[in-house]
Amino acid sequence: MIILASNLWIEYQTKDRLYSDVNAIPAKRVALVLGTSKRLRYRRINRYFKYRIDAVVKLYKAGKIKHIIASGDNRTIYHNEPVDMQKSLMAQGIPKEAISLDYAGFRTLDSVVRCKEIFSQDNIIIVSQAFHNKRAIFISDYYGIKAIGFNARDLSFSAGKKVVLREYFARFKAVLDLYILKTKPKFLGEKVEIPDH
């Protein structure tokens, strides 16, 4: 019941702040792109990764954002989500100077909090799949960040059912982290300035 209530809470609180139409979403200076692995087993491309990159490129080229924070995990030299995102964005014509890398986005909570505390951004577009955007906006609300979500293309239920199930429990964990455990990001550190464009 508690897990179900957590999911319903997040759904209700965030339902009016998700956009899938690039023409309908309000413009903001910065987009926060949430990381995931570029490759799956056997070097297959991760479509969650590809579709997030495609979505943020669409925002940038439509003039809806001026800067991108690519936030993800950088735990080993072989697993560097921010750099993978940067390379993929640049391959689609996004200039390097329009991208800032957050190497300590180990979890969604870390990415959202660091966006405010390290990059000084509290009015953002979050880019991920809709199910993920909802949780990220919920976390943003707790920290006083004005966030809306731009939904990257999702996978079919049959292709993404494991992720959907994992998200169900991740939402309960988000409520637990924020309201019970008061979980903090693993790392904070020095401020990073977003350049004017």
Side-chain angles (χ1 to χ4, degrees):
M1 287 294 291
I2 296 173
I3 294 172
L4 176 60
S6 298
N7 275 265
L8 292 174
W9 183 7
I10 290 173
E11 286 284 334
Y12 179 78
Q13 185 166 312
T14 64
K15 62 185 174 68
D16 296 328
R17 285 177 284 162
L18 297 175
Y19 296 83
S20 297
D21 180 355
V22 73
N23 296 310
I25 190 168
K28 292 182 182 275
R29 181 168 173 247
V30 171
L32 170 66
V33 190
L34 300 175
T36 187
S37 299
K38 182 178 181 179
R39 301 281 178 183
L40 303 174
R41 281 187 295 178
Y42 311 115
R43 303 296 296 163
R44 291 180 298 127
I45 191 72
N46 180 356
R47 284 181 288 169
Y48 286 111
F49 178 95
K50 180 185 184 305
Y51 295 154
R52 290 178 200 182
I53 296 299
D54 291 346
V56 78
V57 169
K58 189 182 293 186
L59 282 175
Y60 188 87
K61 291 187 174 180
K64 295 293 184 172
I65 55 171
K66 295 185 179 298
H67 199 85
I68 299 158
I69 299 173
S71 181
D73 194 342
N74 175 36
R75 71 184 73 177
T76 74
I77 60 172
Y78 305 106
H79 186 90
N80 194 324
E81 293 171 1
V83 167
D84 284 342
M85 286 191 280
Q86 180 188 49
K87 289 178 179 177
S88 295
L89 289 166
M90 290 174 64
Q92 293 200 50
I94 306 299
K96 187 174 183 179
E97 60 269 21
I99 308 166
S100 293
L101 303 184
D102 175 18
Y103 295 106
F106 302 113
R107 304 172 50 197
T108 304
L109 183 144
D110 295 63
S111 295
V112 169
V113 177
R114 286 176 54 81
C115 186
K116 180 178 182 180
E117 298 299 329
I118 302 301
F119 295 91
S120 304
Q121 302 302 310
D122 61 3
N123 191 2
I124 58 172
I125 298 174
I126 299 174
V127 181
S128 188
Q129 279 69 30
F131 67 85
H132 194 192
N133 278 338
K134 292 173 185 177
R135 176 160 49 95
I137 292 171
F138 182 79
I139 295 168
S140 298
D141 287 350
Y142 182 86
Y143 282 97
I145 299 168
K146 296 177 183 176
I148 55 177
F150 187 62
N151 298 332
R153 180 179 171 185
D154 208 343
L155 275 62
S156 66
F157 179 77
S158 59
K161 57 188 174 185
K162 289 182 180 177
V163 173
V164 172
L165 181 62
R166 188 163 63 240
E167 178 63 23
Y168 193 70
F169 291 97
R171 291 182 180 185
F172 168 64
K173 182 66 164 57
V175 171
L176 196 66
D177 280 337
L178 296 176
Y179 291 94
I180 306 298
L181 301 176
K182 307 293 184 183
T183 303
K184 302 299 181 187
K186 189 171 182 180
F187 295 114
L188 285 175
E190 298 295 322
K191 292 272 190 180
V192 177
E193 185 175 349
I194 299 290
D196 290 324
H197 299 289

